[in-house]
Amino acid sequence: IDGVEGTDFDVEDDLGYGDEEGTIGASLYLGNAHQLGVNFLQLDMSANNQLDRNLRYEDLLFRVNTEVESSLEATVIRGFYRMNLGGETLRGGILLGGQYLDFSGEVSSVDVGHASADIKVGMPIAGGYLRIDPVEFLSLRGSVNGLSFEFDDVEATYWDAEGAVLL
């Protein structure tokens, strides 16, 4: 928040997230050259960590070496239009749409207390993808969607990247 120390933090480095987490998701695509699509993703995860720097979350200050527990929950619903270009061997396209994000996070410590935040926001998205089928039995696919946004006192950069090799 406005350059105040501890209000900018990384959930992986500062809160201890980093292990793989299972998530629930679904996708639906309609069309071929011009596609309409919708994606749904839900995650619920928690972590414990000892802080190596001060962290300010909502109105509480968690100091260096404090043991903290945290949880993150998110629901993401994305609707988009995707234009596909190319042929059978090489295909790519651009994606434009919007997404709704319902995000809540909590940080607590026995010594400091409990703080929580909840954000519900809609935002535009833009991205692209590429699919290469060099031989009949092999397909390489990749996509990137992202944006940066600022809502109330929260500034975030969101990237969704996916890569796949299909045999």
Side-chain angles (χ1 to χ4, degrees):
I1 302 172
D2 298 327
V4 175
E5 182 183 353
T7 60
D8 179 10
F9 60 90
D10 184 286
V11 295
E12 182 178 3
D13 294 337
D14 296 324
L15 295 179
Y17 293 88
D19 294 334
E20 293 181 17
E21 293 282 340
T23 60
I24 298 171
S27 299
L28 174 67
Y29 303 95
L30 301 172
N32 189 15
H34 300 277
Q35 286 184 329
L36 294 176
V38 66
N39 301 120
F40 169 81
L41 174 71
Q42 186 171 23
L43 65 93
D44 185 358
M45 54 189 180
S46 61
N48 297 316
N49 199 31
Q50 182 174 344
L51 297 177
D52 59 7
R53 67 183 186 123
N54 290 343
L55 186 147
R56 182 176 302 278
Y57 194 80
E58 288 298 300
D59 58 349
L60 293 181
L61 176 62
F62 299 89
R63 298 198 179 275
V64 173
N65 294 326
T66 301
E67 291 285 335
V68 295
E69 295 180 9
S70 63
S71 66
L72 300 173
E73 295 179 16
T75 299
V76 180
I77 301 170
R78 177 184 306 154
F80 58 88
Y81 163 78
R82 182 163 73 180
M83 182 173 61
N84 299 306
L85 305 169
E88 292 298 318
T89 305
L90 177 64
R91 190 172 189 132
I94 59 170
L95 178 144
L96 298 171
Q99 75 182 14
Y100 169 76
L101 174 66
D102 181 351
F103 175 85
S104 63
E106 296 181 357
V107 179
S108 64
S109 168
V110 173
D111 301 327
V112 180
H114 176 267
S116 63
D118 189 40
I119 298 170
K120 294 179 174 142
V121 63
M123 65 191 82
I125 58 168
Y129 85 98
L130 181 64
R131 185 187 86 204
I132 302 171
D133 296 335
V135 291
E136 186 177 308
F137 60 88
L138 177 64
S139 182
L140 308 171
R141 300 178 185 189
S143 67
V144 175
N145 302 302
L147 66 134
S148 290
F149 73 95
E150 188 171 330
F151 184 76
D152 288 338
D153 290 333
V154 176
E155 181 179 325
T157 300
Y158 174 86
W159 290 104
D160 178 11
E162 181 180 357
V165 176
L166 291 94
L167 293 174

